Amino acid sequence: MKSVVHIEEIEPEIVLLRMQDDVYKNTFSKALIDELIDAFDAIQANQTYKVVILTGYDTYFASGGTRESLLAIHEGKEKFTDKNVYSLALNCDIPVIAAMQGHGIGGGLIMGLFADFVILSRESVYTTNFMKYGFTPGMGATCILPRKLGISLSEELLITSANYRGADLEKRGVPFPVLPRVEVLNHAVELAREIAEKPRYSLVLLKNHLVAPIRQELPSIIEQEVTMHEKTFHQQEVRERIHNLFGK
């Protein structure tokens, strides 16, 4: 079976993690989730890596839940917490750069925002489209969005579920580099080289200190998101919206 997550040490101490599920366009298929978890486990076990670059392929970074997974949650067969893919970057000991060269949709955008550094593409679409399907946000969105973007823009993104190009977010003052797509990965590599100049032990210690408040806060917010899902996800209207939106 063809791998959909590729891990490569592109330079000493710098590891590139590329998501490339071209069949499902980097939606959270079972293969993508399982291979991402395995890849981060392998990175955690390697004591020489100092920094991770997480990226996608072509025009896709990560595209959120599949139709099947959303319907399974609607039917009560699954929860988004069954496999924790959303906070892999947060839980990684070493710094993670999300080189979001392509579209970041729903949970795909949220997964990227849990990274320590975020780089956006001017051309790509970024959206937290949970409410477009009629259910409240999950994947830790209500935790990380306000921390990274501020409450006002976060409420706008989460409630309206609108699509934003990277260029639109740049005008709104997001605190990330927003570059032409072709420049995103190169910028990430340059940043990774700067990070890799530092001692690994110091990087791990400082990252753990900086993200400790988010790690502490996240479980209770996830619990609240699951509770909201239990109230909103099982509506018949949600099922109809899933079918209609995926059918387009």
Side-chain angles (χ1 to χ4, degrees):
M1 187 169 133
K2 179 183 173 185
S3 294
V4 295
V5 175
H6 307 277
I7 183 168
E8 177 189 3
E9 187 172 7
I10 55 171
E11 293 182 11
E13 305 165 329
I14 299 174
V15 61
L16 176 67
L17 205 55
R18 187 186 298 277
M19 300 175 285
Q20 190 163 354
D21 189 345
D22 45 17
V23 174
Y24 295 101
K25 297 179 179 177
N26 278 5
T27 53
F28 288 137
S29 64
K30 183 180 184 304
L32 187 66
I33 290 174
D34 288 346
E35 290 186 31
L36 273 173
I37 291 171
D38 288 347
F40 271 97
D41 283 345
I43 289 166
Q44 288 285 81
N46 188 305
Q47 297 299 302
T48 63
Y49 296 152
K50 290 184 177 180
V51 57
V52 182
I53 300 171
L54 177 65
T55 195
Y57 78 100
D58 194 21
T59 59
Y60 299 98
F61 175 69
S63 304
T66 63
R67 183 205 301 254
E68 291 73 24
S69 65
L70 295 182
L71 288 173
I73 297 174
H74 166 74
E75 293 163 5
K77 297 176 180 176
E78 293 180 7
K79 296 179 180 178
F80 73 84
T81 51
D82 289 347
K83 289 186 177 178
N84 180 356
V85 70
Y86 49 89
S87 64
L88 288 172
L90 175 71
N91 294 330
C92 185
D93 284 339
I94 58 176
V96 178
I97 302 167
M100 301 177 66
Q101 86 315 323
H103 308 312
I105 310 297
L109 172 59
I110 299 308
M111 180 179 69
L113 291 181
F114 272 108
D116 305 286
F117 300 87
V118 176
I119 307 165
L120 302 181
S121 148
R122 285 187 186 142
E123 305 95 320
S124 297
V125 170
Y126 303 101
T127 178
T128 52
N129 61 343
F130 307 94
M131 289 285 281
K132 190 173 287 187
Y133 292 92
F135 55 82
T136 46
M139 305 285 284
T142 60
C143 173
I144 201 62
L145 265 174
R147 282 184 168 274
K148 291 294 178 82
L149 300 182
I151 187 63
S152 297
L153 184 55
S154 296
E155 285 199 66
E156 183 180 321
L157 264 71
L158 290 169
I159 293 174
T160 68
S161 292
N163 292 340
Y164 297 77
R165 296 277 176 187
D168 300 325
L169 293 174
E170 185 177 29
K171 290 175 185 174
R172 298 295 296 273
V174 294
F176 316 128
V178 183
L179 304 171
R181 178 176 291 133
V182 295
E183 297 178 16
V184 169
L185 186 55
N186 286 340
H187 185 83
V189 172
E190 289 298 323
L191 175 58
R193 287 172 180 153
E194 283 187 56
I195 295 168
E197 291 174 356
K198 283 70 178 179
R200 186 181 191 278
Y201 179 79
S202 300
L203 287 170
V204 171
L205 200 64
L206 180 56
K207 170 171 177 171
N208 285 339
H209 172 72
L210 291 172
V211 303
I214 305 176
R215 288 176 176 168
Q216 185 173 8
E217 178 185 42
L218 183 59
S220 64
I221 292 182
I222 292 293
E223 189 176 330
Q224 293 168 49
E225 289 183 349
V226 170
T227 298
M228 287 192 292
H229 273 187
E230 290 169 352
K231 296 175 179 177
T232 63
F233 224 114
H234 307 305
Q235 303 171 84
Q236 178 60 29
E237 183 181 349
V238 168
R239 182 180 184 85
E240 293 167 0
R241 285 172 180 251
I242 292 170
H243 281 296
N244 290 338
L245 287 166
F246 272 93
K248 291 180 180 178

